[in-house]
Amino acid sequence: MGQLKSKCDGLVPGFAPRVRTSTLEEGPPRYSSHHLDVSIQQDDCNLQVPSIIVSDMDLRFVMELQKSSLYSTLDQVPQLEHYASTLPRQQQARSRPSLGTLRRVSKVNSSSVESLTDSGSEESKGPKEKAPVKLGWVIGPAFHCMLNIWGVILFLRLSWITSQAGILLTCLIVLMSVTVNTATTLSISAIATNGRVDAGGTYFMISRSLGPEVGAPIGLVFAFANVLGCALNTVGFAEVVQDLMQSYGSVIIDPISTIRIVGVITVTGLLLISLAGMEWESKAQILFFVAIMISFVAYLVGTFIPPGTVKKSQGIFGYRSDIFVSNLTPDWRGADGNFFSMFAIFFPATTGILSGVNICGDLKDPATSIPKGTLHAIFWTTISYLVIPLTVGACVIRDASGNVNDTLTANSTGTCVGMGCSQGWNFTECTLSQSCQYGLANNLQVLGQVSAVYHLITLGVFAASLSSALSFLVFAPKVFQCLCRDNIYPYIGLFGKGYGKSDEPFRAYILSYVLSIVFILIAELNIIAALISNLFLCTYGLINFSCFHATVTNSPGWRPSFRYYNKWVALYGAVISIVLMFLLTWWAALVIFGVIIFLFGYVYYKKPKINWGSSVQAGTYNMALSSSVSLSGVEDHVKNFRPQCLVLTGPPNQRPALVDFVGSFTEHISLMICGDIIMERQTRPHDATDSMVKWMKKRKVCSFYTPFTAESLRVGARHLLQASGLGKLKPNTLVLGFKSNWRETAPESTVDYINTIYDTFDHNYSLCILRMMDGLDIYSHYEFEENDHKEHNKDDSDQTRTVFQSDQGKKTIDIYWIADDGGLTLLVPYLLTRRKRWNSCKVRVFIVGDEQNMDERRKEMTALLQRFRLDFNDVIVMTDSEKRPQLKNLSRFVDSVAPFRLFDEQRDGLSVQEPSKHAPWKISDKHFEAFRLKSERKVRLNEIIRRNSQHAALVLVSLPVPQSDCPSVLYMAWLDALTCGLHCPALLIRGNQQNVLTFYCQ
C-alpha cells in the first residue's frame, strides 16, 4: 500500500498541522498569545490543512501535535507518555496508534482536530491546583532514616550495652548491624532504581519483585510492625515523662495508668500532625532532628568539661586511658548477659533504613533520593553509634556509689576494689555487694550526667522517641493503603481510599491510630519488642532475596540504574537476617514464619488476577526454558509416554465439553494445546486471545491457546500439527470434535474434515474424536460469525457446565478395544480413573472373539491388563460381532450415504463422468460394494455398543484407520455408524501403532 505525495509534500492519509507563528523583525519566531485559532485553508493540493495559532499556555499541546515521525503523520516519535501505562493507578497513558491504524488509509477531518484543540484550550484555561509537596533526598530519606535510627536506645541503652559487652564488642555489635543494614540498603537501592517506585514502600518493592504471594504477607506483617513500632516508641516517651513526673512528685494515678494516659494523648497529637500532611510532618521531623543534634552536641561538650565532685562520685572522671582500657573487654552480668542478648537489644535501634522507602510516594525522585539519602543516613548514624561507646567508655567507670564521701584518702585502710581506686575513689562496698546505683553498668541516665546540660539529653530522648513514633504512624497507613488497593485480601479495600492532592490514606491513619492505642493500653513492651525486631529482620531478608533473585534470573526487565550492588552481598544479607531472627528470639521467628506461610497459602490458593512482572515469573521462565532444552536431549521411552494433545477446539469457550474432557486426563500430567483455526473470512476482536486465556484460567483448565489463521480446516490443522509445541513438549495426539452435521453441510467441508484425519495419520499422530449426544458446540458456527464480537465481550464468569465437570459415580467406562493401536485406547481411561470424578467408575474392556476360544481370550486379556498394572479386570468377549446387522440398522446406514452415491451402474458412461469430475466425494457403486462388508461390521458393532453401554459414563471405540482408496464420505459414514444412538459421550480413539504401555522394568 503506497502513499501518494502532493505538491506541498503533504501525505494523503492524514495531514500535518501547520503552526503559524508571529515573528518580530529581530529575534527568533514567537508564538502568538492569548488565543487558539484553527482555520481550514485550501491549497493547490486540495488538502484541508489546519493552521493553528497557539498561545504560550498551549505550547505543550502544539508540540505534541508536531511529534510525528518521518514515515507518516499518524506515526509518532517515541514519547515518555506512551510508556506510562505500566505505572499503577496513573491517569490513562497517551497511546500510540496501532499497526492496524497505521495500515489503514484514513482521513482525519477538521472537526476532530477542532475538538482536540478546543479540549486542549479548555484544559489550559482551567485552574491549576497546587502540586502536592514532594521531598528531596535530605528532608526525605536522609532525615527520616536518621531520625528512625536515632532512638531511645542511643540515649538510654547504648551506655549500658557498653558496660556489658565492652567497647570492642559493642563496636562489633554496631558494625554487624550496619553490615546487615548496608547490604539491605544496596538491595533497596537496586530495586528502587529499577523503575519508578510507587507509594507503598517496602511492600511495593517486595510484591513487585517476588510477586503477590510473598509480597502481600510481608506487606500486611510490615504494616503491623510499623503500628507496633509507633505504640512502643509512644510508650517509651510516656515512660520518660512518667519518670520526670515522679521525680518532681507529680503522679496522675499510678505509674502504669500514667503511661497509658500520656501515651494516648501523645499518639493523638501525632495523629493530628500526620493528618495535616507530609509538609507538616516534615517540619515536625526537622524540629526533632535539631533537638537530637543539640542533645548530641551537649553530650560531646560534656565529655571535655572537667568533672566536679558530684560527677566523680557517680563514676564520671573525664577522658582517662586506664578507664578506656578497663572498659575494652566485656563484663557480663545477669542471666541475659551474653553477646546475642546485647545484640538483640541494640539491633532495633538500626531498623530505620526503610523509612525513606516507605515515603517513596512523597519523594521528588525516589530513584535518586532513596540510595543517596539512606546511605548518608547509615554513614552518619554509624559514626554516632561508634562515638558514644568510645567516649563514654573512656570517661565513665562501670560501678560507682554516688556518695561524695567515698573518696580514697591517705588514712584509708583495707582493700580497694574497682577502677575507682586508681581515680582516688573507694566504691568497694557497693561493688562487692552489687548495690551500686551509678556507673555504666547501673545507671541508664549516664549520658545525661555526662552532658553539659542534663535536660538536653532528656530533650534528645523526647525527640528521638516522638520522631520514631511519628514516622511509624505515617509509614503504616501508606504501606497498608497500597496493599488494600491491590485487592489481594478481602474486606480491606475501604482502607485504600486516598484523600486530597497528596492522596492521604485518612482511613488507614485512623485504623493505625486505633491499633496503636490498643497496644499502648497494654503497656507491656518486652515481649513485643522481640517480635518487632524479627518482623524487621524478616523484611530485610526478603528485600535482599528479592534483589538476589531478580539478578540471578537474568530478566531483561532487571536494569537498575544503581550499580553498586552485588547479588552475593544481597544473598548474604538475606541469610544473615534469617539466622539472626532465630538467634535473637527463636519463638518469635517461628510465629512470624507461621503467619507468613498462612497468608502465603491464602494468596497462592486464591491466585489474584494481577501481573507485576515479578522475578518469580522470570525464574519460572528460566526453569521452563532450561528444562525444555535439557529434555530435548533425552531419548523417548515408552515408560515416560504422555498423551500430549493438540485439541482443535476453535474458540474454547464455545466447545467446553471438548476442553473439559481432554483437560480431565491431561491436567498436571501432559501437554494440552487448544488450537483455534480461524478461517480467513472470519474476524476476531484484538483481545480475543486474552479473553480465551482468561476463560480457560477461570475454568481451571491447564492448557495453552494457539489461534491460527488459514484458508481451511485442513490447512490450519496441518500447520499446527507440524509447528505446535517446543522440543519434546510437542503434541503427539490430535483431538477433534465429531462432525455431527456432515449430512447437511457442504460436502467440501466434510472432505476437508476427513482429509484432516488422513493428515493426522500421515504425520504419525494419534487421533481422538469425541462425540457428545447433544453435540460439542454451544453456538452454531454461523451464529458465531455473526455475533463474534458479542460473544467475546461476554463476562468471563459465564461458564457453561458440562457432563465432564460432574461426579460420574459408579457408572462404567466401556472400552471396545477392537484393534491393537499400541495401548492408547487403554491409557486414556486409566488416566481418567485417577481423577476424583472418575475414580469410582468400573472399567470394562470389550474384545473380539468367538465361542470356541472365549475363555482363553478372556484369560489372555486379563493377564495382559495385569501385566500392564491396569485395574481393568472386567473383560468381556464379543462372540457375535461377525453376525450381520439388523436390516433396519443397515437400511439406515445405506440411506445416510445415498445422497453421496453416484449410482454409476444405473447410468451410461457420459452421465457418470460429469458428476464424478465436479463432485469427487461421490461414492461409486464399485467402492460401495468393495467396502460393503466393512460397513456392515461397523453397523453391527454399533448394535453391540448400544446394547451393552447405554448407561455408561464414557464409551471408547477403536477408530478404524482409513485406506487410501476409501471415499471420504463413506469413511465419515462409518464414524457416524459406530457412535450413533448413544446417550453418553463416545470417544473414537486410535494410537499411532507405537507402544505407549509396557510391562518391562527397562
Side-chain angles (χ1 to χ4, degrees):
M1 183 174 65
Q3 290 180 335
L4 300 179
K5 196 170 185 182
S6 64
K7 298 178 182 178
C8 57
D9 295 332
L11 295 178
V12 172
F15 59 83
R18 180 179 301 159
V19 182
R20 190 172 69 206
T21 60
S22 62
T23 59
L24 301 176
E25 294 182 358
E26 297 180 359
R30 300 176 181 269
Y31 288 108
S32 301
S33 59
H34 304 303
H35 66 282
L36 176 64
D37 179 35
V38 180
S39 59
I40 305 301
Q41 295 183 348
Q42 196 81 10
D43 59 7
D44 296 338
C45 313
N46 294 323
L47 293 177
Q48 292 182 346
V49 182
S51 176
I52 307 175
I53 302 176
V54 296
S55 65
D56 294 335
M57 296 175 63
D58 303 304
L59 176 60
R60 179 183 177 187
F61 174 72
V62 173
M63 294 302 295
E64 288 181 353
L65 285 179
Q66 290 179 329
K67 290 179 181 177
S68 60
S69 74
L70 299 176
Y71 303 125
S72 168
T73 54
L74 294 179
D75 204 0
Q76 296 181 359
V77 299
Q79 300 178 44
L80 175 63
E81 293 85 352
H82 292 164
Y83 298 89
S85 59
T86 57
L87 296 181
R89 296 185 298 276
Q90 298 293 326
Q91 296 179 352
Q92 184 64 32
R94 190 177 304 279
S95 60
R96 63 178 68 84
S98 64
L99 287 175
T101 303
L102 294 176
R103 287 175 58 84
R104 286 196 298 266
V105 179
S106 59
K107 295 183 179 180
V108 184
N109 55 36
S110 59
S111 60
S112 64
V113 179
E114 290 176 1
S115 62
L116 285 172
T117 54
D118 289 343
S119 63
S121 178
E122 292 175 2
E123 184 177 342
S124 63
K125 293 178 182 178
K128 293 185 178 180
E129 292 186 2
K130 183 181 178 182
V133 176
K134 295 293 183 180
L135 308 177
W137 73 270
V138 176
I139 304 299
F143 268 30
H144 283 82
C145 288
M146 293 173 72
L147 287 170
N148 255 21
I149 294 174
W150 283 330
V152 293
I153 291 178
L154 175 69
F155 295 101
L156 300 181
R157 289 292 185 273
L158 190 55
S159 59
W160 176 74
I161 293 174
T162 304
S163 73
Q164 291 270 343
I167 297 174
L168 293 179
L169 290 184
T170 300
C171 291
L172 179 62
I173 289 174
V174 174
L175 294 177
M176 284 180 59
S177 301
V178 171
T179 300
V180 177
N181 291 342
T182 303
T184 306
T185 301
L186 296 178
S187 299
I188 291 172
S189 301
I191 298 174
T193 58
N194 190 50
R196 183 173 177 82
V197 181
D198 197 18
T202 306
Y203 158 71
F204 186 89
M205 292 197 310
I206 295 179
S207 61
R208 271 55 176 181
S209 297
L210 292 180
E213 294 85 358
V214 177
I218 286 299
L220 196 59
V221 170
F222 186 66
F224 183 69
N226 279 277
V227 171
L228 292 183
C230 175
L232 289 179
N233 281 278
T234 303
V235 171
F237 169 80
E239 285 183 349
V240 176
V241 173
Q242 189 270 337
D243 291 339
L244 284 176
M245 296 175 64
Q246 192 171 14
S247 64
Y248 287 102
S250 176
V251 180
I252 300 177
I253 306 175
D254 57 83
I256 297 296
S257 298
T258 302
I259 291 175
R260 290 171 177 169
I261 295 173
V262 174
V264 171
I265 295 174
T266 302
V267 78
T268 303
L270 296 177
L271 174 67
L272 296 177
I273 297 176
S274 302
L275 295 178
M278 285 300 300
E279 187 175 3
W280 286 93
E281 190 266 349
S282 299
K283 292 179 179 178
Q285 296 287 29
I286 292 175
L287 293 178
F288 293 145
F289 180 82
V290 171
I292 292 175
M293 293 306 299
I294 291 175
S295 62
F296 195 75
V297 170
Y299 161 75
L300 291 178
V301 171
T303 60
F304 291 98
I305 297 177
T309 303
V310 174
K311 285 191 175 185
K312 289 182 178 180
S313 68
Q314 297 172 349
I316 303 171
F317 295 96
Y319 289 103
R320 297 287 189 275
S321 60
D322 53 347
I323 295 178
F324 180 79
V325 172
S326 67
N327 286 331
L328 283 176
T329 56
D331 181 16
W332 307 115
R333 301 184 183 184
D336 296 330
N338 57 74
F339 179 82
F340 283 105
S341 295
M342 296 302 106
F343 186 89
I345 294 173
F346 174 79
F347 186 79
T350 63
T351 57
I353 61 172
L354 299 179
S355 303
V357 179
N358 290 333
I359 60 170
C360 57
D362 299 296
L363 301 178
K364 295 178 182 177
D365 184 10
T368 303
S369 299
I370 291 175
K372 193 174 182 179
T374 307
L375 290 173
H376 273 83
I378 289 178
F379 175 78
W380 291 112
T381 53
T382 301
I383 296 299
S384 65
Y385 275 110
L386 291 175
V387 165
I388 287 183
L390 292 172
T391 54
V392 77
C395 297
V396 186
I397 62 177
R398 285 189 169 97
D399 297 295
S401 63
N403 188 349
V404 296
N405 297 320
D406 286 345
T407 57
L408 187 63
T409 62
N411 298 327
S412 299
T413 59
T415 304
C416 183
V417 178
M419 277 301 301
C421 301
S422 61
Q423 309 301 325
W425 289 80
N426 188 359
F427 302 128
T428 304
E429 181 178 353
C430 72
T431 301
L432 295 177
S433 62
Q434 297 182 354
S435 59
C436 295
Q437 300 296 318
Y438 294 91
L440 287 178
N442 308 293
N443 188 5
L444 300 179
Q445 307 291 334
V446 166
L447 297 188
Q449 295 169 348
V450 175
S451 174
V453 181
Y454 179 87
H455 291 295
L456 288 181
I457 297 298
T458 303
L459 176 65
V461 174
F462 284 175
S465 58
L466 290 178
S467 65
S468 297
L470 179 60
S471 297
F472 284 127
L473 188 60
V474 171
F475 300 158
K478 291 184 179 293
V479 173
F480 192 58
Q481 180 189 38
C482 186
L483 176 63
C484 294
R485 284 178 169 175
D486 288 335
N487 294 319
I488 297 177
Y489 294 113
Y491 313 118
I492 62 174
L494 71 158
F495 295 104
K497 183 176 177 58
Y499 296 88
K501 59 188 179 183
S502 297
D503 196 32
E504 294 292 340
F506 290 154
R507 296 180 180 179
Y509 274 129
I510 300 301
L511 177 63
S512 301
Y513 169 73
V514 172
L515 292 177
S516 298
I517 289 180
V518 170
F519 288 99
I520 289 172
L521 294 178
I522 294 175
E524 292 291 338
L525 305 183
N526 295 335
I527 297 178
I528 304 176
L531 187 61
I532 288 179
S533 297
N534 279 19
L535 288 172
F536 279 103
L537 277 171
C538 183
T539 306
Y540 288 1
L542 283 173
I543 289 176
N544 284 294
F545 182 75
S546 299
C547 181
F548 171 77
H549 194 267
T551 306
V552 297
T553 53
N554 295 320
S555 173
W558 176 249
R559 304 184 303 274
S561 58
F562 182 81
R563 302 296 182 183
Y564 305 103
Y565 74 97
N566 182 274
K567 60 182 178 181
W568 302 116
V569 174
L571 181 62
Y572 159 78
V575 172
I576 197 65
S577 297
I578 302 303
V579 170
L580 287 174
M581 288 180 65
F582 286 93
L583 289 177
L584 298 185
T585 315
W586 63 268
W587 63 264
L590 291 178
V591 170
I592 292 171
F593 277 110
V595 172
I596 290 176
I597 290 173
F598 172 78
L599 296 174
F600 173 86
Y602 175 84
V603 179
Y604 184 81
Y605 175 77
K606 286 295 184 180
K607 296 187 183 300
K609 296 181 179 180
I610 50 181
N611 182 13
W612 292 328
S614 65
S615 62
V616 174
Q617 294 172 338
T620 303
Y621 175 86
N622 285 349
M623 289 189 294
L625 181 61
S626 177
S627 299
S628 298
V629 174
S630 300
L631 193 62
S632 298
V634 179
E635 294 184 4
D636 293 330
H637 196 282
V638 61
K639 290 195 299 184
N640 291 326
F641 175 85
R642 299 164 186 259
Q644 303 189 138
C645 299
L646 171 61
V647 192
L648 297 187
T649 59
N653 63 350
Q654 293 192 11
R655 293 181 177 87
L658 188 59
V659 173
D660 291 340
F661 170 70
V662 180
S664 297
F665 65 86
T666 60
E667 184 179 6
H668 304 310
I669 293 177
S670 61
L671 175 69
M672 176 181 174
I673 300 176
C674 290
D676 183 4
I677 300 175
I678 306 171
M679 304 304 176
E680 291 181 345
R681 65 180 182 273
Q682 294 178 345
T683 58
R684 296 284 175 88
H686 68 280
D687 60 343
T689 299
D690 292 338
S691 64
M692 292 298 100
V693 173
K694 290 179 180 178
W695 180 87
M696 290 191 297
K697 183 177 180 182
K698 189 172 185 63
R699 203 174 185 84
K700 298 181 180 179
V701 175
C702 298
S703 174
F704 297 98
Y705 172 71
T706 304
F708 189 86
T709 302
E711 60 184 14
S712 66
L713 171 68
R714 182 184 185 184
V715 174
R718 184 188 301 165
H719 285 91
L720 287 176
L721 287 171
Q722 298 180 65
S724 296
L726 178 68
K728 290 299 176 68
L729 295 177
K730 182 178 178 63
N732 53 35
T733 303
L734 180 69
V735 183
L736 294 171
F738 185 81
K739 189 174 180 60
S740 57
N741 63 343
W742 65 278
R743 296 185 190 89
E744 296 81 15
T745 190
E748 294 86 354
S749 176
T750 302
V751 173
D752 197 46
Y753 179 83
I754 299 301
N755 285 335
T756 301
I757 296 177
Y758 295 166
D759 292 338
T760 302
F761 291 124
D762 292 341
H763 285 88
N764 203 31
Y765 270 62
S766 302
L767 179 64
C768 297
I769 301 177
L770 180 66
R771 183 173 189 177
M772 302 289 293
M773 57 182 177
D774 297 324
L776 291 170
D777 295 354
I778 299 177
Y779 313 104
S780 67
H781 180 71
Y782 299 104
E783 183 181 1
F784 169 71
E785 288 186 9
E786 295 173 1
N787 303 317
D788 184 78
H789 292 271
K790 296 180 182 178
E791 301 302 337
H792 279 288
N793 290 330
K794 280 190 173 184
D795 188 1
D796 292 333
S797 63
D798 185 14
Q799 298 278 345
T800 304
R801 189 168 183 82
T802 66
V803 65
F804 299 109
Q805 292 179 316
S806 303
D807 192 341
Q808 303 301 318
K810 295 185 178 181
K811 296 180 181 180
T812 61
I813 299 176
D814 292 345
I815 306 172
Y816 290 83
W817 200 14
I818 309 302
D820 189 356
D821 60 347
L824 184 66
T825 307
L826 298 178
L827 181 60
V828 168
Y830 165 73
L831 295 176
L832 279 174
T833 56
R834 295 173 61 179
R835 302 299 180 188
K836 183 178 180 181
R837 296 189 181 101
W838 297 83
N839 59 10
S840 298
C841 291
K842 181 180 180 181
V843 181
R844 302 188 300 178
V845 180
F846 293 81
I847 58 175
V848 176
D850 50 42
E851 294 182 358
Q852 288 76 15
N853 62 0
M854 180 177 62
D855 292 337
E856 293 180 3
R857 288 283 293 143
R858 182 185 295 112
K859 290 179 181 180
E860 289 176 0
M861 181 56 63
T862 302
L864 181 62
L865 295 176
Q866 289 177 348
R867 296 286 294 274
F868 283 150
R869 304 172 305 282
L870 299 173
D871 191 18
F872 304 164
N873 295 324
D874 198 350
V875 178
I876 301 173
V877 181
M878 299 180 294
T879 60
D880 55 350
S881 59
E882 299 293 333
K883 294 182 179 180
R884 286 182 58 83
Q886 297 180 14
L887 184 59
K888 63 176 183 179
N889 295 328
L890 187 58
S891 298
R892 183 172 61 245
F893 174 79
V894 173
D895 293 340
S896 68
V897 298
F900 304 97
R901 293 182 60 185
L902 284 173
F903 297 105
D904 46 349
E905 293 182 356
Q906 304 174 11
R907 305 180 185 179
D908 55 23
L910 293 176
S911 60
V912 172
Q913 292 178 2
E914 189 65 25
S916 175
K917 179 179 179 181
H918 296 286
W921 57 83
K922 291 286 187 177
I923 306 172
S924 67
D925 292 344
K926 179 181 178 181
H927 282 103
F928 187 78
E929 290 299 326
F931 292 103
R932 176 182 292 276
L933 181 58
K934 292 186 176 182
S935 299
E936 291 180 357
R937 288 180 177 176
K938 307 299 187 297
V939 177
R940 177 57 184 162
L941 181 57
N942 175 255
E943 292 177 353
I944 298 174
I945 294 173
R946 285 191 291 169
R947 183 182 64 205
N948 294 292
S949 305
Q950 281 292 354
H951 303 291
L954 178 67
V955 173
L956 295 95
V957 185
S958 295
L959 177 75
V961 177
Q963 296 176 349
S964 59
D965 59 343
C966 179
S968 299
V969 177
L970 181 59
Y971 182 72
M972 187 72 235
W974 288 354
L975 302 183
D976 183 62
L978 278 171
T979 54
C980 68
L982 294 176
H983 298 289
C984 64
L987 183 69
L988 293 165
I989 182 170
R990 186 76 185 207
N992 63 353
Q993 302 303 109
Q994 297 177 1
N995 287 341
V996 300
L997 293 175
T998 181
F999 49 77
Y1000 288 104
C1001 183
Q1002 61 181 11

